[in-house]
Amino acid sequence: MTLQFAYWAPNVSGGLVVSNLPQKTGWNFEDNKRYAQITENIGFDYVLLQTRFLSSYGAENQLEAATLASALAATTERLNIITAVLPGLWQPAVFAKMMATIDQISGGRASVNVVSGWLKDEFTSYGEYWLDHDERYRRSEEFIEVLKLLWNEPKANYHGNFYRLNDATLEPKPINPITVFLGGLSRAAKEMGGRVSDVFFMNGNTLDALKETIEEVKRLRKENGQGPIRFGVNGFAIVRDTEVEAQQVLRDIVSNANTEAVKGFKKSVQKAGASSPEGKGMWADASLEDLVQYNEGFKTGLIGTPEQVANRIIELKKIGVDIVLTGFLHYEEELKAFGEKVIPLVREKEVSLNIVNA
């Protein structure tokens, strides 16, 4: 299978970096519709819609993911639309119905990214309990099990610790099987990925660290008797004519960081991955510079000329990455440039190195 490309939808204001550096990136529906229509014609396979309900890390405005997904489903033709969801803020049977509807609208292009949650205030301000780290993942696993039952069974029954189904039905079913994405670096996240996910998302990281995570999740997958699993990685792309220019853009982003917002974000996420029993999870070891791109996308190394970035993506492919999830400083121009300059180079290198079916 060829490597696939995704991009973060900027459906929250403030762009994809917590920086005061001006960004040519829109967040409203018309902007996101335009980006989706551009990307599906230049080689992107997926768009990931963020779920956010509060003004964290300076994102003052947020478009809700599922309703935006429905609108994009009706205004695109090929792009697979990944809707992020927070168990606890959504009831899974209702959300299963929403996703089946989005799949019907899109003609079979719906996917879901189940996010266990890291922002405590996002739950408590909406009247929901804030669970301990591993409890959040147990709830997410039940959430996914409920989704799959309703999408696949004519009548579903389920009796878990968090959710119940009693002879529940859902029609129409999704046109195509809905791919389930999830992510994390804690033991609980990896174990859940090994049991119930189709694609395991990883924050940005070094090749060695990513390879270690991939191998561990694959081992857990095998131990649980499950079939193949795919892997996605976040990477913030800075592609310029020269490496010097690209590195200067990175320095400009970091030197203009909104320090107060980054520190606030770091404090918030300490209640997420770092609170896992083993003290290791998403953001647990992230520096303030890493968190200027809030999913540590700088660490993946998609910074340089089109050739350099394409070579880096091939290295990701070699260690087992199947999907590269990209973010950009200036969506208005960089999404299109990435599709025109980088993706074709990756395709050429896949063929020349005979790793298309690796």
Side-chain angles (χ1 to χ4, degrees):
M1 177 182 290
T2 58
L3 191 142
Q4 294 182 301
F5 291 92
Y7 75 95
W8 287 96
N11 59 301
V12 301
S13 61
L16 269 287
V17 289
V18 190
S19 178
N20 295 319
L21 192 69
Q23 300 179 59
K24 289 183 281 186
T25 297
W27 62 270
N28 65 30
F29 169 63
E30 290 299 329
D31 292 323
N32 276 285
K33 180 176 72 171
R34 184 172 66 258
Y35 299 148
Q37 291 173 343
I38 290 170
T39 55
E40 71 175 355
N41 290 313
I42 55 171
F44 282 86
D45 305 282
Y46 295 94
V47 55
L48 171 58
L49 309 185
Q50 307 172 62
T51 178
R52 184 61 52 240
F53 289 85
L54 294 182
S55 180
S56 58
Y57 51 81
E60 295 181 357
N61 300 289
Q62 316 93 32
L63 296 179
E64 193 282 318
T67 41
L68 179 58
S70 182
L72 293 181
T75 54
T76 56
E77 296 179 356
R78 289 177 292 280
L79 200 64
N80 193 294
I81 302 164
I82 311 170
T83 302
V85 62
L86 280 166
L89 295 183
W90 289 103
Q91 203 276 351
V94 173
F95 191 78
K97 184 70 171 179
M98 294 166 62
M99 288 302 301
T101 301
I102 293 170
D103 200 65
Q104 289 283 332
I105 293 169
S106 68
R109 294 181 285 120
S111 295
V112 61
N113 181 37
V114 178
V115 184
S116 295
W118 56 266
L119 182 56
K120 181 179 180 180
D121 291 349
E122 201 160 34
F123 289 81
T124 58
S125 70
Y126 275 61
E128 295 294 329
Y129 292 108
W130 177 246
L131 303 178
D132 289 340
H133 178 275
D134 283 10
E135 283 295 288
R136 296 199 298 276
Y137 278 93
R138 279 190 279 273
R139 177 173 61 189
S140 291
E141 185 162 354
E142 287 195 10
F143 191 95
I144 293 170
E145 289 172 344
V146 168
L147 294 181
K148 290 185 174 182
L149 278 172
L150 286 166
W151 290 335
N152 293 288
E153 300 297 329
K155 188 174 289 187
N157 288 279
Y158 187 88
H159 299 92
N161 293 317
F162 298 95
Y163 304 114
R164 303 283 193 277
L165 295 177
N166 299 295
D167 290 339
T169 61
L170 187 152
E171 294 294 343
K173 302 292 188 191
I175 296 172
N176 291 324
I178 293 180
T179 301
V180 175
F181 293 73
L182 62 86
L185 283 176
S186 66
R187 177 74 182 182
K190 293 172 182 176
E191 289 179 344
M192 187 174 81
R195 288 189 293 266
V196 296
S197 70
D198 301 307
V199 182
F200 192 82
F201 264 147
M202 301 173 287
N203 267 10
N205 217 324
T206 63
L207 289 174
D208 287 343
L210 293 171
K211 184 178 180 181
E212 180 180 346
T213 297
I214 289 169
E215 291 175 349
E216 184 177 0
V217 174
K218 280 185 175 179
R219 177 178 56 78
L220 291 167
R221 187 79 165 182
K222 186 175 182 180
E223 289 175 1
N224 283 291
Q226 301 296 319
I229 185 171
R230 293 184 291 156
F231 294 88
V233 65
N234 178 59
F236 191 82
I238 304 176
V239 184
R240 297 295 185 269
D241 291 338
T242 68
E243 183 180 5
V244 171
E245 290 177 275
Q247 292 294 337
Q248 184 59 54
V249 172
L250 175 61
R251 287 191 292 271
D252 291 343
I253 292 171
V254 173
S255 64
N256 286 279
N258 183 333
T259 306
E260 182 179 351
V262 175
K263 288 181 177 179
F265 178 62
K266 185 174 179 65
K267 183 178 180 180
S268 294
V269 298
Q270 286 173 345
K271 300 170 185 174
S275 67
S276 65
E278 70 277 16
K280 289 184 70 66
M282 289 175 68
W283 304 292
D285 301 318
S287 67
L288 284 175
E289 181 175 324
D290 293 333
L291 294 177
V292 174
Q293 203 294 302
Y294 39 83
N295 284 100
E296 302 177 82
F298 300 148
K299 294 165 71 173
T300 307
L302 306 186
I303 300 168
T305 66
E307 184 78 19
Q308 289 173 318
V309 172
N311 286 337
R312 183 67 171 185
I313 290 170
I314 290 297
E315 292 304 310
L316 293 169
K317 173 71 176 179
K318 288 178 178 178
I319 65 169
V321 170
D322 300 285
I323 302 172
V324 176
L325 173 61
T326 55
F328 303 89
L329 181 66
H330 302 306
Y331 271 67
E332 293 297 340
E333 56 208 45
E334 293 184 39
L335 266 175
K336 189 170 186 290
F338 189 91
E340 292 176 344
K341 296 179 180 180
V342 177
I343 294 178
L345 285 176
V346 173
R347 298 294 180 231
E348 291 174 9
K349 293 175 186 296
E350 285 180 310
V351 172
S352 65
L353 295 172
N354 196 29
I355 61 169
V356 170
N357 296 313

